Amino acid sequence: MGTLQLQVLGHGGVPASGVSAVVLNVTVTAPNGPGFIAVYPHGSAVPNASNVNFVRGQTVANLVVASVGADGSVDLLNHSAGTTQLIADVSGYFAAGTATDPGTYSPLAPARLMDTRVHLGAGTLAPNSRAQLAVDGHDGIPASGVAAVVMNVTVTQPRAQGVITVYPDGTTRPGSSNLNFSASQNVPNLVVARVGADGDVDFWNTSNGATDLIADVQGYLLAGTPVDPGVFVPAGPSRALDTRSKLGAVPVGGHRTLSLAIAGHAGVPATQVRAVVMNVTLTGPIAPGFITVYPDGTPLPTASDLNFVARQTVPNLVVAPVGTDGKIDFYNGSSNSVQLIADVEGYDTGVLGEPGASCTGLANSTGITDSTISIANASDISGPVSGIDVSAQQATQAYAAYFDAGADLCGRTLSVDALDTETSQEGDQAAATTACADDFAIVGSMSTFDDGGAATAAACGIPDLR
């Protein structure tokens, strides 16, 4: 048994200050005996909770939301009689400060909410049965105003293979899973569980055998409609990918990449999304390997999200940034094909592939209505050489059509005000006068006498992007 101190602030893209918690994918490999890993803030007491459970020789990964100590580090406790190797890949972080806005996250000291082995919270789950757990008002979770709780859920002593589904009490059980297990297998997984109207969450055991469950709370998300960028919106769970039935994609071959269109699917909005939180399950592997989930259109990172051996079913919660095209990639670091399942648990607000931008304060004004943002293109269409710059206007119109087909700006589409500068100074000035009166900006213009309207555009202050 030993403790490893890991400095996280200022490393791996995490800021050197202003961080309350980090999101780490922690992998245990080559352990010499059974045990568990607990991750907690350096300088605080060892919690009665676990993050990764393992047996001798097992490679297992789990996502961890770890509060950071005052010195910017976290501790990883190896609660076993043998040594083990650890890998920690950073997936993100939460800004420090008191969470007050809807969708913001409040980390908590890890605490045990449920342990059916000792009848804490509930008793052992019978085959194909449900356990109801009260979470609001317990172990630091407020009694109201909570949208979802973040818990590390562990299946232990299952009598037969099966799956566990966690969902809001009082709602219909979804066709998704949070943990997949075999008989006698201990499996941990981080779960973002939406809370029912009564402040409870349900755990359904889809198995022909009884099983015990452990649930350790890590934090919670505030209820309400998120309006700020970078906040988390709990959704689903909803199945976005199941290669077994060719939902979303077909099985991915060895050392190959599967691309999944996620924006606009499985409860994820088509725009204003930076990342999705998914429970990813791998099943049916023929050879050992790993899965890496990352934004489409970016280089393959040197990190992993799931680690597996042959014939093993492995789940893990994944925070996956979304590519600018609204897709995410799954790389199969194995020599043979695998089956993948992905259930959406929520998403992070913002602009695809870019830092979050807020619509707060955007009011209707010149060129902006409830539904459109009008941009002017002032180009030479008529004159001595007819159509000399028509291509500039067509290009601007094509871009607006492309943008409107898959996105919007704060609920508004782009509209192009096509203006003819008539290959003359007078025509350019007239076009600038019209744009000043009717449009938000001038975009992509091409005119031989563009100085004709320069003073007019400068006087009214309209942006002119040529």
Side-chain angles (χ1 to χ4, degrees):
M1 183 181 295
T3 302
L4 181 155
Q5 181 181 350
L6 177 66
Q7 183 68 31
V8 291
L9 265 60
H11 298 272
V14 180
S17 62
V19 173
S20 63
V22 290
V23 183
L24 301 172
N25 194 63
V26 178
T27 302
V28 172
T29 185
N32 290 333
F36 65 86
I37 301 295
V39 187
Y40 55 99
H42 180 69
S44 65
V46 177
N48 179 29
S50 63
N51 296 98
V52 188
N53 300 68
F54 54 88
V55 297
R56 179 182 175 88
Q58 183 185 21
T59 296
V60 59
N62 197 19
L63 199 70
V64 175
V65 179
S67 298
V68 179
D71 62 353
S73 65
V74 297
D75 286 346
L76 296 95
L77 170 68
N78 172 23
H79 197 284
S80 77
T83 60
T84 186
Q85 301 286 353
L86 290 176
I87 304 166
D89 299 320
V90 65
S91 295
Y93 60 90
F94 291 94
T98 302
T100 58
D101 296 333
T104 50
Y105 176 76
S106 291
L108 294 173
R112 186 144 292 177
L113 284 173
M114 179 170 69
D115 188 343
T116 63
R117 299 171 301 179
V118 294
H119 295 275
L120 173 64
T124 299
L125 272 73
N128 297 299
S129 68
R130 176 181 66 94
Q132 182 176 340
L133 177 67
V135 294
D136 281 7
H138 296 271
D139 291 297
I141 302 170
S144 62
V146 175
V149 290
V150 179
M151 301 180 293
N152 194 65
V153 180
T154 303
V155 170
T156 186
Q157 302 172 353
R159 283 58 157 181
Q161 69 175 16
V163 302
I164 298 294
T165 300
V166 188
Y167 58 103
D169 183 59
T171 66
T172 303
R173 175 163 52 96
S176 57
S177 63
N178 296 96
L179 295 96
N180 301 66
F181 54 90
S182 301
S184 303
Q185 182 186 20
N186 288 349
V187 179
N189 200 11
L190 195 70
V191 174
V192 179
R194 289 191 297 135
V195 178
D198 58 358
D200 296 357
V201 296
D202 289 346
F203 301 77
W204 182 272
N205 173 27
T206 303
S207 170
N208 291 325
T211 188
D212 283 301
L213 287 177
I214 303 167
D216 298 321
V217 65
Q218 308 287 320
Y220 61 90
L221 293 149
L222 293 180
T225 302
V227 295
D228 295 322
V231 299
F232 179 79
V233 181
S238 181
R239 184 145 294 177
L241 173 70
D242 190 340
T243 60
R244 299 171 303 178
S245 60
K246 299 182 180 180
L247 172 64
V250 297
V252 56
H255 301 297
R256 293 180 179 273
T257 300
L258 178 159
S259 292
L260 175 68
I262 193 66
H265 300 274
V268 179
T271 61
Q272 305 297 318
V273 175
R274 290 195 301 177
V276 290
V277 177
M278 302 179 297
N279 192 64
V280 180
T281 302
L282 173 138
T283 188
I286 300 173
F290 64 90
I291 299 294
T292 299
V293 188
Y294 61 104
D296 186 58
T298 65
L300 175 67
T302 56
S304 62
D305 293 286
L306 293 92
N307 301 72
F308 55 91
V309 297
R311 296 178 297 279
Q312 184 182 24
T313 297
V314 177
N316 198 11
L317 197 71
V318 174
V319 179
V322 179
T324 55
D325 58 358
K327 296 180 181 179
I328 54 177
D329 289 348
F330 299 75
Y331 175 75
N332 174 19
S334 167
S335 59
N336 290 92
S337 64
V338 298
Q339 302 279 8
L340 287 174
I341 304 160
D343 297 319
V344 172
E345 304 284 344
Y347 55 91
D348 179 70
T349 59
V351 180
L352 292 181
E354 299 291 341
S358 175
C359 292
T360 302
L362 178 62
N364 292 349
S365 59
T366 302
I368 302 178
T369 69
D370 289 337
S371 59
T372 62
I373 297 177
S374 178
I375 56 176
N377 179 274
S379 298
D380 290 341
I381 306 301
S382 64
V385 182
S386 180
I388 186 173
D389 291 322
V390 69
S391 60
Q393 200 159 89
Q394 291 171 338
T396 304
Q397 292 169 326
Y399 172 77
Y402 169 78
F403 180 88
D404 291 343
D408 64 67
L409 285 170
C410 300
R412 299 163 171 90
T413 57
L414 294 180
S415 173
V416 178
D417 185 5
L419 303 176
D420 182 6
T421 54
E422 302 175 350
T423 321
S424 68
Q425 288 187 344
E426 294 79 6
D428 193 72
Q429 184 178 18
T433 301
T434 299
C436 284
D438 298 339
D439 304 305
F440 171 72
I442 303 173
V443 179
S445 301
M446 288 287 290
S447 56
T448 306
F449 299 94
D450 58 4
D451 59 336
T456 300
C460 78
I462 188 171
D464 190 355
L465 309 176
R466 291 184 178 265

